[in-house]
Amino acid sequence: MAWWRNAVVYEVYVRSFADSNGDGVGDLEGIRSRLPYLRSLGVDAVWLTPFYRSPMVDAGYDVADYRDVDPLFGTLADFDALVADAHAQDLRVIVDIVPNHTSSEHAWFRAALAAGPGSPERDRYIFRTGRGAAGELPPNDWTSVFGGPAWTRLPDGAWYLHLFAPEQPDLNWRNPEVHAEFLDVLRFWLDRGADGFRIDVAMGLYKAADLPDIGDDRPNDAVTRAGGPIWGRPETHDVYRAWRRLLDTYPGDRLAIGEVWTDSVDDLVRYIRPDELHQAFGFDWLMAPWSAVAFSKVIADTLAVTERGGAVPTWVLANHDRERTATRYGGGARGLARARAAVLAMLALPGSAYLYQGEELGLPEVTDIPDDERQDPIWERSGHTDPGRDGCRVPIPWDDDPPPHGFSADGVRPWLPMPEGWGGYSVATQLADLDSTLRLYMDALRLRRDLAGLPFAGPELSGDVVTFARGDAFTCVLNCGETSVVLPPHAEVLLASGPLGTDGPHALPPDTAVWLRTA
């Protein structure tokens, strides 16, 4: 069986994980030094956010050179050493690939600006003439996901498309050069030992050839309807068929997982057909409210979709683009209790799971970052009305010493400020507490290995309680209600997300999940 079918993958947001050289920014050598922690946590693979050469307008998702490491994060030799050490500790390494757009500092885009309108160099991107008497209006009404128009005009009068920041021009995937370039980029990292790729904006790439207006007031963000002019174009699937053929020529079950945002189940299934991507993120779990009805529906729908595609479910509760789970579920003690219960339920489900760094520490969203220290381009593009995603990207604390809490050298100011009390969430503090969130994750990941391959039964919904089984002897119960519920009297409690028994020896309190041995 391929390793990824039941894997737990840990997302490392590179600049916020561990800083080895004291510049306040995480790096590859820092990650390498913390591999023993990831191994002890119990994950199977590490997904690295972009570490390529970049002007860092969008934290590295604006790539200037896909075949090199940005000096901010280290060198190619550092990457090679990280992969070697990870493999020695039985950890796979997944690399983030960004195929929808490049940086405006990429050699191709610089060449396009120098070559001028109508040139082969410009055909690698999406350039158009404007509307209006003098071409002074954008070619269509599309807006950027980050806010503002999706078009920027050059001094020579031409407009170029950027669905994100102006410094992230969209590539023209109708140009064969783009296809060849990315196949070569994939080979470059596969040859260096990468175990797979997480594909950014995987439902993007192609746009309708005539670039029509959307014609309504709905924003063209990452969940706009599939099959429209911007997202989910059918031509995209040929790209992933070619990528799959390449991956299949390498040993070791190399993986391709797509960041696919779509409002269509039928559309999602297409990405995970046997000759395309191995996986697509299951964002419905992340987007669901705290509700037994919602969770039960997500489980049932996700299993049905992946079965149709011949794939396995891929569960996601958090990532670097979304508010921290404990805050999303209400904040404070109750939000943390719900976050612990939700991850315990998620880890009992069949398939693979993706964890975001710091969630195992129960970190809350940081909401009080000073305006002049915000880094996310959404902050500027929205006219300072949307704080963006910095709140879930603050560096993680490793110890309870004064800031930066072991993230960097003593006294160094991290690239995003760490809030008061951050040391109380630290790895060192929680390792010493058997009831901590970190210890819960470690126990769950250890026990989860016994569930691999066991059949699934459920989910069953009873009021505010969701129950499902794995095999004949394992049951997970999640209580999303306001009152305690009675557990089976003879079941053995394997693991619980919080204290049990306040209303009796077999009571499951609100906002709590439990794993039971039932035979």
Side-chain angles (χ1 to χ4, degrees):
M1 179 184 294
W3 64 268
W4 45 263
R5 296 183 72 86
N6 292 292
V8 176
V9 181
Y10 185 97
E11 180 191 355
V12 168
Y13 193 72
V14 175
R15 60 177 46 230
S16 295
F17 190 67
D19 171 23
S20 70
N21 61 4
D23 64 357
V25 180
D27 47 47
L28 297 182
E29 186 59 28
I31 299 167
R32 185 183 174 205
S33 72
R34 297 293 186 176
L35 289 176
Y37 165 74
L38 296 175
R39 187 66 237 164
S40 66
L41 179 60
V43 300
D44 303 292
V46 179
W47 152 29
L48 306 177
T49 55
F51 49 81
Y52 314 108
R53 284 189 178 269
S54 167
M56 301 296 165
V57 170
D58 186 22
Y61 281 92
D62 49 318
V63 180
D65 185 346
Y66 289 88
R67 296 178 183 82
D68 201 3
V69 174
D70 194 280
L72 187 67
F73 301 131
T75 65
L76 281 171
D78 292 332
F79 176 82
D80 294 341
L82 170 59
V83 170
D85 280 10
H87 287 172
Q89 298 182 55
D90 201 25
L91 289 167
R92 267 84 173 188
V93 178
I94 297 172
V95 173
D96 213 319
I97 196 76
V98 187
N100 179 73
H101 50 265
T102 72
S103 165
S104 56
E105 294 299 314
H106 191 283
W108 274 12
F109 195 73
R110 294 201 306 268
L113 298 185
S119 64
E121 289 83 358
R122 286 205 176 179
D123 191 54
R124 295 165 174 163
Y125 294 88
I126 300 177
F127 282 87
R128 293 292 186 274
T129 56
R131 297 189 291 195
E136 73 279 8
L137 299 176
N140 64 25
D141 63 358
W142 297 2
T143 57
S144 164
V145 173
F146 286 168
W151 295 92
T152 289
R153 196 181 192 193
L154 298 175
D156 61 24
W159 295 78
Y160 70 88
L161 178 70
H162 51 85
L163 291 178
F164 294 88
E167 297 86 357
Q168 294 168 292
D170 280 47
L171 287 160
N172 173 23
W173 275 87
R174 299 183 187 281
N175 185 326
E177 281 190 85
V178 177
H179 289 258
E181 171 70 2
F182 274 89
L183 284 170
D184 193 65
V185 167
L186 296 183
R187 290 189 197 97
F188 180 87
W189 295 106
L190 290 168
D191 290 343
R192 301 193 90 94
D195 296 287
F197 300 94
R198 177 266 186 186
I199 305 164
D200 187 59
V201 197
M203 73 293 175
L205 311 193
Y206 278 89
K207 287 76 180 173
D210 57 349
L211 303 177
D213 285 339
I214 295 176
D216 58 28
D217 58 359
R218 285 174 288 186
N220 57 308
D221 63 14
V223 290
T224 296
R225 59 205 175 281
I230 301 176
W231 310 111
R233 300 294 305 170
E235 303 96 320
T236 303
H237 298 286
D238 285 337
V239 175
Y240 299 134
R241 290 188 182 97
W243 288 18
R244 179 62 176 267
R245 288 193 296 272
L246 173 64
L247 288 166
D248 287 347
T249 66
Y250 283 80
D253 295 312
R254 310 295 176 102
L255 169 70
I257 178 167
E259 181 197 24
V260 180
W261 291 94
T262 178
D263 57 3
S264 165
V265 170
D266 290 336
D267 183 52
L268 182 62
V269 168
R270 295 185 184 103
Y271 290 90
I272 53 175
R273 289 177 289 196
D275 64 340
E276 292 195 38
L277 303 180
H278 300 88
Q279 296 180 325
F281 287 120
F283 290 122
D284 287 348
W285 186 264
L286 182 156
M287 302 298 289
W290 180 256
S291 159
V293 173
F295 287 143
S296 180
K297 178 174 172 40
V298 167
I299 294 169
D301 290 351
T302 300
L303 292 172
V305 167
T306 52
E307 183 178 349
R308 282 178 55 191
V312 295
T314 305
W315 309 98
V316 180
L317 187 60
N319 63 30
H320 66 279
D321 285 331
R322 296 289 160 170
E323 186 178 48
R324 287 280 187 187
T325 309
T327 301
R328 196 170 72 244
Y329 285 152
R334 189 173 200 185
L336 179 58
R338 289 176 169 180
R340 288 165 58 106
V343 77
L344 195 61
M346 182 183 80
L347 290 174
L349 293 166
S352 64
Y354 281 70
L355 308 177
Y356 177 48
Q357 69 176 45
E359 290 289 297
E360 79 276 19
L361 306 177
L363 296 181
E365 185 83 355
V366 179
T367 58
D368 58 352
I369 298 172
D371 290 351
D372 61 355
E373 296 195 58
R374 294 192 179 277
Q375 306 282 328
D376 192 341
I378 291 176
W379 172 244
E380 292 296 335
R381 295 279 293 173
S382 68
H384 297 177
T385 60
D386 185 336
R389 303 157 292 178
D390 290 331
C392 68
R393 299 175 175 184
V394 173
I396 65 173
W398 290 95
D399 59 44
D400 56 2
D401 290 339
H405 305 298
F407 164 73
S408 185
D410 291 347
V412 171
R413 187 174 179 83
W415 72 282
L416 281 175
M418 303 169 91
E420 285 289 324
W422 212 234
Y425 290 102
S426 72
V427 171
T429 297
Q430 296 201 37
L431 282 175
D433 179 3
L434 295 180
D435 295 323
S436 68
T437 301
L438 176 56
R439 288 287 190 173
L440 174 70
Y441 270 71
M442 295 174 76
D443 290 342
L445 292 174
R446 173 176 50 83
L447 292 172
R448 184 182 185 274
R449 296 187 182 278
D450 295 333
L451 303 180
L454 292 180
F456 179 87
E460 296 181 4
L461 180 64
S462 177
D464 293 314
V465 177
V466 181
T467 303
F468 57 86
R470 300 291 303 277
D472 297 327
F474 176 92
T475 301
C476 178
V477 186
L478 171 62
N479 183 5
C480 297
E482 299 291 335
T483 59
S484 295
V485 297
V486 177
L487 297 171
H490 302 296
E492 176 190 356
V493 175
L494 296 174
L495 190 60
S497 65
L500 304 179
T502 56
D503 295 329
H506 298 289
L508 181 65
D511 303 326
T512 308
V514 65
W515 289 3
L516 303 173
R517 180 179 285 122
T518 50

